[in-house]
Amino acid sequence: MKGLRLTLGSGVGLLAVLLATVPAPASPTADVRTPDQRRAAGEPVTLRYAFDAGLADPIWDADRTLRLHPVGVMGGALTAKARAGTVAVGYPSVCQVQEADCPRVVLESDPAAWLNPGQADVSWGAQVLLESQNTSDGENVVQKGFSTQGTQYKLQVDHLGGLPSCVVAGLVFGVNRIYVAQWRRTVADGAWHRLDCVRRSTGLALFVDGELRASTAIPAQLSIVNGDPLRLGGKGIGPWNDQFHGILDDVYVTVG
């Protein structure tokens, strides 16, 4: 994916702030410094979850930096899915009963303040497979924080049409603002798609399978800092949790 060029088209306001490439998740390293130390040195920190060791709790990223824990209610559970000799993560299908009785499950991290980018660059993404019959009003793939209650960065597949989008929310001069870059075409077609979100200074962009598909301008002052964990597959385990109903693989976040 490295080296793919952005085509900004009419999005002149984004200029070069998106830096002209889709981010490539870093390979595992032997760096023994903590993420806080690397961030303090001005270096980016990357998490990458391939799930190939299985879904036993805890699930570690490639560098064993941050654990994920499955958390579920109402019988909600993750399923290991074979994918070309590797393992991906399956989530519950769309539920046909009352929302409060639906199976719900997310992967949730330990606390990780260094995943707060503030005003710094941040990119995040995943490979996603979603069937057309498993769409719902909102399905969260990767998120940290909440858009209406503070600050956030998020990747979602939204609405019954299965439309992918990137979201950032944060404080701008003391006021909470929400910005969305959404592609108006479905990815709920039963095929694998790579979805990448990139926040660079005054730009937010969504890439689908390496192609720029949506972008929006955001204020450079927008700051994303919250005390929430990283979550995969939903915003929590309460009812109306924007449960993801497909399969995830190769999830990553790069801060800095």
Side-chain angles (χ1 to χ4, degrees), residues 50-51 54-56 59 70 75-83 86-93 103 105-107 192 243-249:
F51 309 110
L55 304 182
I59 297 171
L78 303 172
T79 306
K81 300 289 188 180
R83 183 191 177 199
T86 66
V87 177
V89 182
Y91 285 81
S93 296
V105 61
V106 300
L107 281 169
W192 282 101
Q243 179 69 58
F244 182 66
H245 298 295
I247 306 174
L248 297 185
D249 202 4

Side-chain angles (χ1 to χ4, degrees), residues 207-222:
F207 295 82
V208 179
D209 298 323
E211 298 291 333
L212 177 66
R213 295 302 188 186
S215 60
T216 188
I218 62 174
Q221 298 86 358
L222 185 139

Side-chain angles (χ1 to χ4, degrees), residues 61-146:
D61 65 293
D63 288 336
R64 295 184 67 83
T65 302
L66 185 67
R67 299 176 297 182
L68 298 177
H69 306 280
V71 182
V73 295
M74 306 307 297
L78 303 172
T79 306
K81 300 289 188 180
R83 183 191 177 199
T86 66
V87 177
V89 182
Y91 285 81
S93 296
V94 165
C95 178
Q96 303 300 327
V97 300
Q98 292 292 326
E99 175 66 26
D101 298 326
C102 286
R104 302 183 294 277
V105 61
V106 300
L107 281 169
E108 184 173 289
S109 78
D110 291 337
W114 50 269
L115 277 175
N116 291 320
Q119 296 178 3
D121 294 345
V122 58
S123 55
W124 63 101
Q127 295 197 37
V128 172
L129 186 151
L130 184 63
E131 302 283 353
S132 59
Q133 68 270 22
N134 270 322
T135 60
S136 61
D137 188 55
E139 301 196 22
N140 293 357
V141 179
V142 180
Q143 78 176 82
K144 187 178 190 300
F146 296 90

